Amino acid sequence: MVDNVPALTVETAVAEPWIGDTARDLIAGSFAGVAQLVVGHPFDTIKVKLQNMPTPLPGQPPLYTGALDATRQTIAAHGPLALFRGMSAPFAFVSLFNALLFATYGASQKAARALRATPPEAPLPLADHFACGFATGAVATAISAPTELLKCRLQADPAAFRGPVDVARAVLRAEGLRGLARGGAATFLREAPGSAFYFGVYNTVKGALATEGHDGVRRTSGVALLAAGGGGGGGGWG
């Protein structure tokens, strides 16, 4: 009797997904955003400290001699949790931001396929992945611009504010709603091209590392996906 029970295969799960494409994009984007923030925020904190380091007077040494020195001084003065200072601002929006990022990219791919009359199983041209990534970054700027503003002000002067809400109140009192959009143009110039290269490089590497199985279907292993993600991240920041 056991032999008559059909085995659940990967192909069956793929052919009959239990959630829609948009829901899958939203869930995957949320988890990816949280993981990215927890791992990357300490490095971002040190980067902001080095960028905001005052120019030393003639004959005086700089405040920090490098990234390691900035890390050492920050931990010595404020403890290891100081490396995560300012994380609450992007953490509150990271799920929303990455969910929007992945969902917008998925919707852009569907629009590109509709314009080209490309079937779902056929790969899109590389230029379309870059174009979809650019559109995705442009949409994401609406969330990332104010979030980056709050985060950077907390990281640059952690003693001046109690948290991101305090920073937002100070900005609104001094500059109004327009203050939260300060730096939006620069953020757009980072997000739109960065997302274009991220998704373009990601799909290029993923396609190059995919292998064809006995059934003729090309698949990408988990290690290959990690490599593609790393290549995409490097392309996005390069």
Side-chain angles (χ1 to χ4, degrees):
M1 294 179 63
V2 176
D3 293 338
N4 295 327
V5 178
L8 177 63
T9 64
V10 174
E11 289 77 13
T12 302
V14 173
E16 300 177 1
W18 61 277
I19 57 175
D21 291 341
T22 301
R24 185 168 62 244
D25 288 339
L26 291 171
I27 294 172
S30 299
F31 278 99
V34 171
Q36 174 185 335
L37 180 63
V38 171
V39 173
H41 192 81
F43 298 97
D44 193 59
T45 297
I46 298 304
K47 181 202 70 173
V48 171
K49 285 183 175 293
L50 290 172
Q51 289 174 329
N52 288 274
M53 181 174 58
T55 303
L57 297 174
Q60 291 187 347
L63 180 61
Y64 306 117
T65 59
L68 291 178
D69 184 48
T71 304
R72 181 185 59 79
Q73 290 194 44
T74 299
I75 294 176
H78 305 288
L81 291 180
L83 296 176
F84 296 91
R85 189 69 185 267
M87 191 175 76
S88 54
F91 194 86
F93 294 99
V94 67
S95 294
L96 175 62
F97 174 78
N98 277 271
L100 176 66
L101 196 74
F102 278 70
T104 303
Y105 182 69
S108 299
Q109 286 184 303
K110 290 181 180 179
R113 291 184 184 280
L115 288 173
R116 292 182 177 272
T118 304
E121 66 276 5
L124 284 172
L126 180 59
D128 284 6
H129 287 297
F130 276 90
C132 292
F134 188 92
T136 299
V139 173
T141 301
I143 295 178
S144 61
T147 302
E148 283 290 306
L149 176 73
L150 302 181
K151 174 181 70 69
C152 289
R153 292 202 178 185
L154 271 174
Q155 290 173 320
D157 192 3
F161 305 103
R162 295 188 297 273
V165 176
D166 191 31
V167 179
R169 287 173 180 166
V171 172
L172 290 172
R173 281 196 303 265
E175 306 174 58
L177 285 173
R178 182 176 296 182
L180 292 177
R182 182 180 294 276
T187 305
F188 170 82
L189 292 175
R190 181 195 70 183
E191 293 290 350
S195 293
F197 277 94
Y198 173 82
F199 286 107
V201 174
Y202 169 80
N203 282 282
T204 300
V205 176
K206 186 176 75 170
L209 297 179
T211 56
E212 187 172 324
H214 296 294
D215 55 0
V217 178
R218 291 180 62 81
R219 294 181 177 84
T220 308
S221 67
V223 174
L225 287 176
L226 288 174
W237 280 105

